[in-house]
């Protein structure tokens, strides 16, 4: 908030708040700053300083410039940084019209943790509120999934009398570790232990349901491209 004193009145900036930690941007550190109380906030501000990477200016001097083409808004933004000698925690997002330079940025800058790629927009483009009017080019495509599994100890009459849930081991890269055939891969995650009556009740409730018709779990995939 103290850095806002460097800005003129009637100004609205559009950008992204980031926290630099180590050799990259840390979303976890940003969440930590956002959740800080009034006692810890000043301490974290010193330990985990935040920066605002600015890439647009919807309002200048109390007047909206939403209908002005992006090239004009960018010129105003650059002039603002020059006139007021803005520096950290303010950062003007770099920009280029050179495809070769953009390709070099996409290759080299995305090695930094937290930098995903480039944003492309037209020089004549107006500022569209509430709309995704920008084209984002990521260096890497990723798919996120939550995968769960249930196992239980089955005896000869398991179809009629399913056994209790088997003592779990950490899930590793989509495969389950079993006590009889352990491997050395790092665990990706694990659930709380289930034992005793809970294991027996869970085994009966899930038997014949998991993996078949009437599956009680909801599956959801999220792909970012």
């Amino acid at each position: 908030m103290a850095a806002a004193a460097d800005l003129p009145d009637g100004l609205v900036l559009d950008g992204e708040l980031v926290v630099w930690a180590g050799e990259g941007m840390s979303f976890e550190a940003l969440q930590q700053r956002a959740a800080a109380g009034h006692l810890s906030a000043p301490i974290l501000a010193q330990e985990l300083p935040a920066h605002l990477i600015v890439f647009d200016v919807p309002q200048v001097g109390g007047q909206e410039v939403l209908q002005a083409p992006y090239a004009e808004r960018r010129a105003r933004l650059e002039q603002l940084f020059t006139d007021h000698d803005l520096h950290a925690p303010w950062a003007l997002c770099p920009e280029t019209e050179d495809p070769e330079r953009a390709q070099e940025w996409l290759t080299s800058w995305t090695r930094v943790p937290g930098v995903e790629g480039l944003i492309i927009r037209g020089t004549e483009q107006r500022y569209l509120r509430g709309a995704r009017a920008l084209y984002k080019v990521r260096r890497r495509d990723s798919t996120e999934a939550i995968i769960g599994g249930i196992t239980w100890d089955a005896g000869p009459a398991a179809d009629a009398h399913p056994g209790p849930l088997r003592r779990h081991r950490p899930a590793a890269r989509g495969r389950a570790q079993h006590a009889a055939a352990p491997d050395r891969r790092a665990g990706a995650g694990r659930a709380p232990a289930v034992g005793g009556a809970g294991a027996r009740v869970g085994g009966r409730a899930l038997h014949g349901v998991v993996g078949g018709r009437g599956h009680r779990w909801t599956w959801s995939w999220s792909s970012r491209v």
Side-chain angles (χ1 to χ4, degrees):
M1 295 298 293
D6 299 333
L7 303 177
D9 294 335
L11 179 70
V12 176
L13 298 176
D14 187 0
E16 183 171 355
L17 192 65
V18 302
V19 172
W20 191 271
E23 298 182 353
M25 291 182 288
S26 172
F27 183 69
E28 290 77 11
L30 180 62
Q31 288 182 310
Q32 189 177 356
R33 284 290 310 273
H38 69 283
L39 294 179
S40 59
I43 300 175
L44 290 178
Q46 296 294 324
E47 297 178 350
L48 302 171
H51 296 75
L52 183 67
I53 302 176
V54 184
F55 43 75
D56 211 334
V57 54
Q59 180 175 301
V60 179
Q63 299 295 320
E64 289 187 351
V65 291
L66 303 178
Q67 297 305 312
Y70 172 70
E72 178 182 329
R73 301 197 309 275
R74 176 70 185 193
R76 287 173 177 259
L77 192 56
E78 293 176 354
Q79 193 64 45
L80 171 74
F81 270 74
T82 300
D83 292 346
H84 295 271
D85 190 26
L86 297 182
H87 45 79
W90 310 106
L92 180 61
C93 185
E95 182 177 279
T96 184
E97 294 182 359
D98 183 355
E100 293 185 1
R101 191 176 186 184
Q103 180 62 51
E104 193 276 329
W105 287 353
L106 183 63
T107 302
S108 61
W109 288 8
T110 50
R111 296 170 185 166
V112 178
V115 180
E116 296 181 343
L118 304 178
I119 293 292
I120 299 176
R121 75 173 83 201
T123 56
E124 298 299 316
Q125 188 171 326
R126 273 57 177 171
Y127 191 99
L128 303 176
R129 290 181 288 191
R132 290 191 174 185
L134 308 179
Y135 185 74
K136 188 169 186 178
V137 179
R138 288 185 172 90
R139 185 182 181 188
R140 305 175 186 85
D141 294 339
S142 63
T143 298
E144 299 175 355
I146 298 176
I147 302 175
I150 293 293
T151 59
W152 53 80
D153 291 321
D159 290 340
H161 303 286
L165 297 178
R166 180 180 300 143
R167 178 178 292 276
H168 72 283
R169 292 292 183 269
R173 299 179 186 175
R175 297 182 180 179
Q177 287 183 316
H178 191 280
D183 58 35
R184 297 183 179 180
R185 291 171 297 185
R190 65 187 301 165
V194 178
R200 292 189 294 273
V201 173
R204 290 194 298 269
L206 292 171
H207 183 73
V209 176
V210 175
R213 294 183 179 181
H215 201 301
R216 298 182 183 180
W217 291 357
T218 299
W219 297 87
S220 177
W221 292 85
S222 173
S223 179
R224 300 185 301 170
V225 297

